[in-house]
Amino acid sequence: MLRKNLSDYNEHSLQQLGRRIAFFRHLADSDPGQLQCLLSHSVMIELEPGEVLIEKGTRGSEFYALAEGQLAIFPEKRLADTAICELWPGQLVGVLAMLNQQPRTATVAVSSLAGATVFATDFRRFGALEDFSVISLSSKLALLREVVGHIHATLRQCERDVPDAGLSNELATLTDFAGRPGSLDELEHLAEQAAGMVWLLDCWNQRLPARVPMFSEQQLEQQLAGLLQRSAAAGKTLR
């Protein structure tokens, strides 16, 4: 795991990576000052294939935005040959634990043979839920809307894959906000939903079959082909 300051990247590369993150794009378009504030408290992490980014049961102060590569999710602390799902560039990870001030509920590791690159942002800059001295109400709403929306869709998929009447009843209690959009009430509603989702997601994660290979045969074949090509090219150069 290599932690690098954002200043180590040229501006064009950094912008290209940032535009892959929906939350960052939203801030860039709606409030560039807020984006710069977050990036000033962020670093880039470059990870090797199979390297663990988050370990279940640990605590931390950062959430992550996947810029390159894939990440695999494991319901237990230890890695296995197969994961329950994968994350792709643009997705956020680790926000629920930060919101609820709880230990991480899953282990997350790099599942792409080319490695992965993530933005790591210090969640402590967000402060208390109703503290808007650094991060504005609209920025907090944007983050929670994205996270809650994504996790809710994930839970619906879990419901289809592994039906469970009790968990479905609990999921049905997570109702849409009916008040004024953009208000503190909406923010509090989303925070309450996030708190309920932690338990549901953990329960369903324990029931989901591990069916995503850590490294697929196609990935291994592509990696081997790339190594052979580079080896052949190096041989020609030496001649």
Side-chain angles (χ1 to χ4, degrees):
M1 182 182 295
L2 179 62
R3 297 175 70 93
K4 299 175 70 173
N5 293 325
L6 300 188
S7 58
D8 293 336
Y9 293 80
N10 67 62
E11 186 174 349
H12 177 72
S13 297
L14 191 60
Q15 287 180 349
Q16 289 294 103
L17 291 172
R19 295 297 295 181
R20 297 176 185 177
I21 314 301
F23 175 54
F24 288 174
R25 286 200 308 272
H26 171 83
L27 292 183
D29 295 337
S30 63
D31 193 339
Q34 283 282 278
L35 177 60
Q36 289 306 312
C37 176
L38 282 182
L39 292 181
S40 70
H41 297 286
S42 301
V43 297
M44 199 74 82
I45 299 180
E46 297 178 354
L47 300 117
E48 298 294 326
E51 193 168 6
V52 172
L53 173 65
I54 292 174
E55 184 177 293
K56 181 176 181 176
T58 61
R59 292 181 179 271
S61 61
E62 294 176 328
F63 72 94
Y64 307 98
L66 179 58
E68 292 183 316
Q70 288 85 48
L71 299 173
I73 308 297
F74 301 87
E76 302 300 334
K77 187 172 184 177
R78 298 182 63 179
L79 301 185
D81 293 335
T82 54
I84 57 174
C85 66
E86 274 188 312
L87 301 178
W88 297 82
Q91 292 185 268
L92 302 176
V93 61
V95 179
L96 284 182
M98 298 295 93
L99 284 171
N100 296 295
Q101 300 180 6
Q102 294 180 346
R104 311 288 193 178
T105 58
T107 293
V108 181
V110 179
S111 57
S112 46
L113 286 171
T117 302
V118 301
F119 287 90
T121 301
D122 188 350
F123 193 78
R124 289 174 296 185
R125 298 305 101 195
F126 281 75
L129 186 67
E130 298 181 9
D131 177 3
F132 308 120
S133 59
V134 178
I135 305 300
S136 67
L137 171 61
S138 61
S139 297
K140 290 187 177 185
L141 281 168
L143 178 66
L144 265 68
R145 284 170 183 159
E146 180 174 342
V147 171
V148 168
H150 172 70
I151 299 300
H152 194 269
T154 299
L155 290 171
R156 287 298 185 192
Q157 185 61 52
C158 291
E159 185 179 37
R160 291 189 289 270
D161 292 343
V162 184
D164 184 298
L167 294 179
S168 291
N169 288 338
E170 292 292 336
L171 180 57
T173 66
L174 302 179
T175 57
D176 293 335
F177 179 64
R180 180 169 60 86
S183 63
L184 177 59
D185 286 342
E186 183 188 3
L187 184 68
E188 292 174 341
H189 174 84
L190 290 169
E192 290 175 4
Q193 292 231 328
M197 287 177 171
V198 171
W199 178 80
L200 277 173
L201 190 60
D202 188 42
C203 287
W204 249 308
N205 280 348
Q206 300 299 322
R207 292 163 169 76
L208 287 173
R211 56 192 179 191
V212 179
M214 185 60 169
F215 299 112
S216 68
E217 289 186 15
Q218 182 181 10
Q219 285 180 309
L220 292 171
E221 290 172 357
Q222 291 174 345
Q223 181 79 346
L224 178 59
L227 289 172
L228 290 174
Q229 288 175 355
R230 288 194 291 273
S231 178
K236 290 178 180 179
T237 301
L238 290 174
R239 293 196 200 101

